[in-house]
Amino acid sequence: MQALLGIIFHFIGGFASGSFYIPYKKVKGWSWESYWITGGVFSWLIVPFIAAWLTVPGFMDIIANTPFSTLFWTYILGVLWGIGGLTFGLSMRYLGMSLGMAVALGFCSAFGALIPPLYKEFFTDSPDTFTSMLQNNRGIFVLLGVIVCLVGIAISGKAGMYKEKDLSPEKQQESIKEFDLKKGLIVAIVSGILSACMSFAISAGEPMGHAAVENNANPLFKNNVIFVVIMLGGLTTNLIWCVILNIRNKSFGDYTNKKTPLAANYFFSAIAGTTWFLQFFFYGMGESKLGNGASSWILHMAFIILISSMWGFALKEWKGVSKKTYATILIGITTIILSVVLVGYGNSLEN
């Protein structure tokens, strides 16, 4: 029953993450950087603090009493994850929801599985190294999943190339206004690599989660105090970049431009930002039930890819393409989901 609840919570979180970009499509007359950071204020500042305040008694005292080194690494990993989140938004901008999320999260899954053992191989005395992965079923399944993931990404990228040939630039931009396969693939790769830092940041902040439980917080919500610090790192990265873009594109006027539907723009940006954070709110609940951080992260990725792909098809991002192209993107996304399942299964095995 606990495992089933964990899967349900991860599905809800995956649905939130796979759906958060939809409200942004309702924003009119604003530059990307303006609505991205407006939603981000809710994602990385307002909603995390409210969630922690509602679910973790004395969360500010817990943070204040946490050793500096724990706060430092949790925050720095949050900054790196924030770069991944920033380029994640650009992936949606250039590739659309189905292709953008599949590629970015496929890489996130793969690198999230490979980076820890590679780090331990060269910088620690831990037995859980890359070399040891080659010597047990757990590691073999994880590596197989990574290989399948890269194949799925290659297939999905091929579908994007087919789409470029099938449709004129005007047709491509009917559903994705700034469709650009080359830019999109580059930022999706960067996003996937750095977005994996969220999993590491949660691990770095575990002492705060333990302190929350000791302070009578429900274990379901123990990660909410960790998210406060991680999200501040994400806010730092995204705020700096969006302000730079506001200056470069002279788009500071967006926030007060009465020629645009200001109230609606702020509302939809707030909904998008809030929905985006809910993925982690329910991720923390799912992880507390499944009790396996690595497998929880992989399961979370799988649900996001599945939901975002469904949205991409519902929003007709592949409208007008040939049957060959449509079949290719379906095969690519299915392959990536299969890889995520393989990695998750591998992480669930004993060494």
Side-chain angles (χ1 to χ4, degrees):
M1 184 61 183
Q2 296 299 308
L4 178 60
L5 281 174
I7 292 171
I8 291 172
F9 289 143
H10 278 305
F11 174 79
I12 297 172
F15 185 86
S17 180
S19 307
F20 87 94
Y21 209 79
I22 301 296
Y24 281 137
K25 293 180 176 290
K26 298 290 185 180
V27 176
K28 306 295 182 185
W30 279 11
S31 298
W32 176 86
E33 60 271 15
S34 300
Y35 64 72
W36 183 253
I37 196 59
T38 300
V41 169
F42 286 85
S43 300
W44 305 307
L45 184 63
I46 296 175
V47 182
F49 270 86
I50 292 175
W53 177 68
L54 290 174
T55 59
V56 181
F59 78 97
M60 288 300 295
D61 291 333
I62 292 173
I63 294 173
N65 293 320
T66 298
F68 174 78
S69 60
T70 299
L71 292 176
F72 175 80
W73 285 112
T74 305
Y75 173 79
I76 291 299
L77 287 166
V79 169
L80 294 175
W81 162 78
I83 299 174
L86 176 64
T87 48
F88 187 75
L90 292 173
S91 301
M92 304 304 101
R93 180 179 175 183
Y94 294 133
L95 296 178
M97 294 188 65
S98 52
L99 182 58
M101 285 206 182
V103 174
L105 296 180
F107 272 110
C108 184
S109 170
F111 281 91
L114 287 180
I115 290 175
L118 285 172
Y119 173 81
K120 292 172 183 176
E121 180 83 41
F122 298 102
F123 299 105
T124 74
D125 296 325
S126 171
D128 299 323
T129 63
F130 182 79
T131 300
S132 70
M133 290 180 69
L134 301 175
Q135 301 170 354
N136 56 69
N137 288 334
R138 176 180 182 176
I140 291 172
F141 266 102
V142 169
L143 291 174
L144 177 62
V146 170
I147 293 170
V148 172
C149 176
L150 295 177
V151 171
I153 290 169
I155 295 171
S156 298
K158 193 69 174 178
M161 296 172 65
Y162 288 156
K163 181 179 181 180
E164 280 194 316
K165 294 179 180 179
D166 288 346
L167 305 178
S168 65
E170 293 76 17
K171 284 291 184 181
Q172 293 172 16
Q173 293 171 4
E174 282 183 6
S175 58
I176 306 171
K177 293 181 180 179
E178 299 178 75
F179 182 80
D180 190 315
L181 183 64
K182 292 181 180 178
K183 278 185 181 179
L185 289 176
I186 291 171
V187 295
I189 291 170
V190 173
S191 172
I193 296 171
L194 293 180
S195 290
C197 288
M198 169 56 78
S199 181
F200 313 145
I202 293 172
S203 296
E206 275 185 357
M208 286 184 280
H210 295 321
V213 174
E214 291 173 1
N215 205 35
N216 298 318
N218 188 323
L220 275 176
F221 306 119
K222 65 179 182 180
N223 283 350
N224 287 346
V225 65
I226 306 173
F227 290 146
V228 170
V229 180
I230 297 175
M231 297 303 162
L232 286 176
L235 177 63
T236 302
T237 304
N238 284 267
L239 181 62
I240 290 172
W241 179 242
C242 286
V243 168
I244 290 172
L245 289 182
N246 277 146
I247 294 171
R248 180 188 299 172
N249 299 331
K250 298 179 181 179
S251 55
F252 270 118
D254 287 348
Y255 306 110
T256 56
N257 186 357
K258 294 182 179 178
K259 294 181 180 179
T260 64
L262 282 177
N265 284 355
Y266 279 108
F267 173 76
F268 285 118
S269 296
I271 292 297
T274 301
T275 302
W276 182 91
F277 176 76
L278 288 177
Q279 66 170 306
F280 294 110
F281 184 85
F282 286 101
Y283 171 82
M285 295 172 68
E287 186 187 34
S288 71
K289 291 295 183 183
L290 291 180
N292 187 321
S295 290
S296 281
W297 184 248
I298 298 301
L299 184 61
H300 185 68
M301 296 294 102
F303 279 131
I304 297 173
I305 294 170
L306 179 62
I307 298 298
S308 62
S309 298
M310 292 173 64
W311 274 118
F313 294 127
L315 292 171
K316 300 180 180 180
E317 292 178 352
W318 298 88
K319 179 182 178 181
V321 300
S322 66
K323 291 182 179 179
K324 175 183 177 182
T325 301
Y326 202 83
T328 304
I329 187 59
L330 284 175
I331 293 171
I333 290 170
T334 302
T335 304
I336 292 172
I337 293 174
L338 173 61
S339 76
V340 170
V341 172
L342 286 171
V343 173
Y345 176 72
N347 275 313
S348 70
L349 297 175
E350 297 293 333
N351 285 327

